[in-house]
Amino acid sequence: MHQAIEVLLQAIPYLIGGAGLTIVAVVGGMGLGLIIGLPMAVAQVYGPAPLRAAAGLYVWFFRGVPILVLLFLFYFGLFQLFQWNIGALTAATVVLGMTSGAYQSQIFRGAILSLARGQFRAASALGLSDRQAIRCIVLPQALRLSLPGWSNEYSILLKDSALAFVLGATEIMARTQFVATRTYQHLALSLAACGIYFILTWVGVRALRALERRVAVPGFGNQEAR
Amino acid sequence: MTQSPILEVEGLCKALGGKPILSGVSFSVRKGEMKVLIGPSGGGKSTLLQCLNFLHVPDAGVVRLAGQAVDPRQRKPLYAYRQKVGMIFQDYNLFDHLNALDNVSLALRKVKKLSRAEAEGRARAELARVGLADKEKLYPAELSGGQKQRVSIARALAMDPQVMLLDEPTAALDPELIGEVLTVIRELARSGMTMIMATHQMGFVRSMADEILFMQEGRVIEQGTPEMLLDIESGSRTLDFCSHLAEFESGGAE
Ligand SMILES: Nc1ncnc2c1ncn2[C@@H]1O[C@H](COP(=O)(O)OP(=O)(O)OP(=O)(O)O)[C@@H](O)[C@H]1O
Ligand SMILES: [Mg+2]
């Protein structure tokens, strides 16, 4: 018992350093996912047939393959093949981002499809171009409606990020393993990792909840956010 | 009234889902005129109004505004045309995430490229004109149906349209709210606005319409002044249709 506490006290700053890398991977992954997912959702709803098909194929692929397989496929396979020499953490961030893009596109697409169709026509009738109608009317509403789904996606991605350790990224899970195999304090260290993930989930979800409240519009969307 | 027409419609045809909805509709509207579209449900009134500002692109036919034919394939002129032709929908279609002021000022900023201050000044004037000066901060969900429709009228008027298209603007309203919207439209007509309006508010039609177009199965089958078509002696299809309307619409705000 004594020993476990001693190991923990020494290991925790090291694990928290790993949390920094986890945060980089998750925030980077969410950001990349947004950059990929939002245009793809717009393309799937408003785009011409070939673009819709391409987006559909992308979503089908990234939703159909386990993240672990994707990590291997890209890091040891495709990135090597194209001689793209990036670190394990960057690679994990890119793969998480591409995967999240597929899921996020479906969150945004669902939100866009749930909007009242007539508003787009009203915007057109005022002389707005399709582009302007999407930017000024569709997206501000769809993004608000997407926030609960986005917060869910954050908590999933955070947990998926633990897989980055298989590439050798020294995030929370890799550091937990590293200390545990040397000190044999598996239980204590795993519990510490649990605690860190739990705190990261809680903080992120709370922050997104606060954002949701900040941008809330009376009578629009998720009422209980108020 | 010898001036040339402001809006001319010639041989408009439109099929939807493989079914002909409009089959050669032609008419012309002079400046300051109020044309009313009447007819049974599914007769093509909404489709016609949406074709007039190319929310539906007609399969055939020509629309001319002040003598100029509109080519819907050319984006820039189409967007310019739509600014000159305001549209009011049955279910308002206000932008749900914007308050009344932003609903009215958005297109002024994005389309007419006014500064925020100019756009809001103009928007406030239009809201005052429809009697909603004190409601500018309210969001659509906080407005009554009649107030929403008045905001949508202010939103269209802010673009300085030459013609207004109104598709059953009071059909979704509770009876006690119909009057406030019709009052605004009546004011608008008095100020000289050219309008094409689908409505079944017969009291309003009798007092305000310059001409009735009776539409059925995608065609204008009767056309004339209310005095002509609604005269008991006329024996018109319009009169027949309207007397059936009156049977279950006795009462109401008009
Ligand atoms: N997108 C569409 N695809 C197929 N058919 C359509 C479509 N939109 C409308 N229609 C059909 O077109 C016909 C005319 O509809 P429209 O809405 O123009 O009639 P209306 O005169 O406005 O009727 P109402 O008084 O009920 O508003 C209807 O039979 C309708 O079912
Ligand atoms: Mg209709």
Side-chain angles (χ1 to χ4, degrees):
Chain A
M1 189 63 197
H2 238 75
Q3 211 187 348
I5 292 173
E6 222 160 87
V7 169
L8 272 186
L9 283 179
Q10 284 191 2
I12 277 179
Y14 180 62
L15 296 188
I16 289 176
L21 299 193
T22 294
I23 291 170
V24 168
V26 173
V27 171
M30 286 300 281
L32 182 59
L34 177 68
I35 293 169
I36 294 173
L38 197 56
M40 221 156 61
V42 170
Q44 275 196 310
V45 179
Y46 300 106
L51 213 55
R52 288 205 304 271
L57 197 68
Y58 179 96
V59 171
W60 174 78
F61 177 76
F62 280 94
R63 287 209 298 192
V65 180
I67 292 226
L68 191 56
V69 177
L70 289 171
L71 286 168
F72 277 83
L73 173 68
F74 281 91
Y75 188 56
F76 298 116
L78 294 174
F79 293 167
Q80 299 275 327
L81 187 66
F82 294 105
Q83 314 224 324
W84 199 29
N85 290 316
I86 53 174
L89 181 72
T90 314
T93 306
V94 170
V95 173
L96 287 174
M98 288 192 297
T99 309
S100 185
Y103 285 97
Q104 288 189 39
S105 75
Q106 297 314 291
I107 297 174
F108 299 134
R109 188 174 81 107
I112 292 174
L113 291 176
S114 77
L115 299 179
R117 275 297 285 141
Q119 295 183 58
F120 195 100
R121 275 187 294 147
S124 303
L126 287 166
L128 273 79
S129 65
D130 289 1
R131 222 173 237 275
Q132 285 177 317
I134 289 170
R135 208 178 56 231
C136 303
I137 308 301
V138 174
L139 291 185
Q141 294 187 23
L143 285 172
R144 281 181 172 85
L145 295 182
S146 297
L147 274 171
W150 216 65
S151 155
N152 195 40
E153 173 65 13
Y154 163 80
S155 67
I156 292 172
L157 200 66
L158 176 64
K159 280 164 271 187
D160 285 346
S161 76
L163 288 169
F165 97 99
V166 299
L167 304 188
T170 55
E171 44 68 74
I172 301 172
M173 201 51 217
R175 293 187 184 199
T176 306
Q177 280 295 97
F178 181 81
V179 182
T181 50
R182 278 158 188 77
T183 61
Y184 303 105
Q185 295 294 337
H186 286 278
L187 177 63
L189 287 159
S190 296
L191 284 174
C194 284
I196 295 175
Y197 278 113
F198 184 75
I199 291 168
L200 290 182
T201 306
W202 187 79
V203 169
V205 169
R206 283 301 292 249
L208 287 170
R209 191 84 170 155
L211 176 65
E212 206 180 317
R213 264 192 290 268
R214 237 184 99 90
V215 300
V217 166
F220 177 77
N222 183 16
Q223 286 309 294
E224 56 155 357
R226 223 133 290 120
Chain B
M1 290 238 199
T2 50
Q3 38 178 279
S4 56
I6 180 140
L7 191 77
E8 293 166 278
V9 181
E10 238 176 73
L12 224 53
C13 293
K14 178 70 184 175
L16 285 170
K19 216 174 60 154
I21 307 295
L22 296 179
S23 316
V25 174
S26 305
F27 61 91
S28 66
V29 187
R30 289 186 309 269
K31 197 164 170 352
E33 212 182 355
M34 157 86 76
K35 285 251 198 276
V36 165
L37 303 175
I38 295 183
S41 181
K45 304 178 295 291
S46 299
T47 308
L48 171 61
L49 289 172
Q50 300 208 14
C51 280
L52 291 184
N53 70 357
F54 300 92
L55 291 178
H56 283 312
V57 179
D59 301 330
V62 189
V63 177
R64 272 189 220 95
L65 182 70
Q68 269 224 302
V70 186
D71 179 355
R73 285 162 307 183
Q74 296 194 302
R75 293 294 170 107
K76 282 269 154 60
L78 174 63
Y79 297 150
Y81 167 81
R82 281 177 174 164
Q83 289 178 56
K84 296 181 209 151
V85 179
M87 178 113 191
I88 302 299
F89 301 87
Q90 178 175 329
D91 41 7
Y92 335 119
N93 294 338
L94 291 187
F95 306 133
D96 284 333
H97 65 302
L98 299 177
N99 65 26
L101 185 67
D102 290 337
N103 257 281
V104 180
S105 62
L106 177 85
L108 291 172
R109 291 196 285 128
K110 301 294 170 185
V111 180
K112 291 223 188 274
K113 309 288 183 200
L114 298 191
S115 72
R116 181 179 278 275
E118 286 172 312
E120 291 187 346
R122 178 67 199 269
R124 285 200 176 92
E126 294 302 339
L127 283 173
R129 180 166 168 189
V130 298
L132 293 174
D134 55 337
K135 301 281 190 272
E136 64 171 59
K137 289 279 177 259
L138 296 187
Y139 287 87
E142 301 170 314
L143 297 167
S144 74
Q147 292 170 337
K148 280 190 235 192
Q149 194 59 292
R150 281 145 69 197
V151 172
S152 97
I153 292 173
R155 179 173 71 178
L157 289 177
M159 303 303 284
D160 284 322
Q162 299 175 11
V163 178
M164 290 269 277
L165 311 173
L166 303 95
D167 191 0
E168 305 206 42
T170 59
L173 294 175
D174 292 335
E176 71 271 20
L177 300 178
I178 292 177
E180 68 186 54
V181 171
L182 290 184
T183 302
V184 168
I185 297 172
R186 208 174 270 124
E187 281 305 312
L188 204 53
R190 294 222 174 91
S191 74
M193 178 60 73
T194 310
M195 288 189 265
I196 306 172
M197 174 169 168
T199 184
H200 290 137
Q201 294 293 320
M202 293 317 297
F204 179 87
V205 173
R206 269 176 212 281
S207 63
M208 297 303 296
D210 293 302
E211 189 172 55
I212 295 174
L213 305 180
F214 185 79
M215 280 192 79
Q216 191 169 355
E217 289 168 10
R219 292 172 206 279
V220 176
I221 60 171
E222 280 178 354
Q223 183 168 5
T225 62
E227 293 76 34
M228 279 163 58
L229 293 183
L230 298 178
D231 188 284
I232 300 295
E233 310 277 273
S234 69
S236 68
R237 284 281 300 114
T238 311
L239 180 67
D240 186 46
F241 174 78
C242 292
S243 54
H244 285 294
L245 269 186
E247 274 167 30
F248 53 85
E249 264 184 21
S250 45
E254 275 293 313

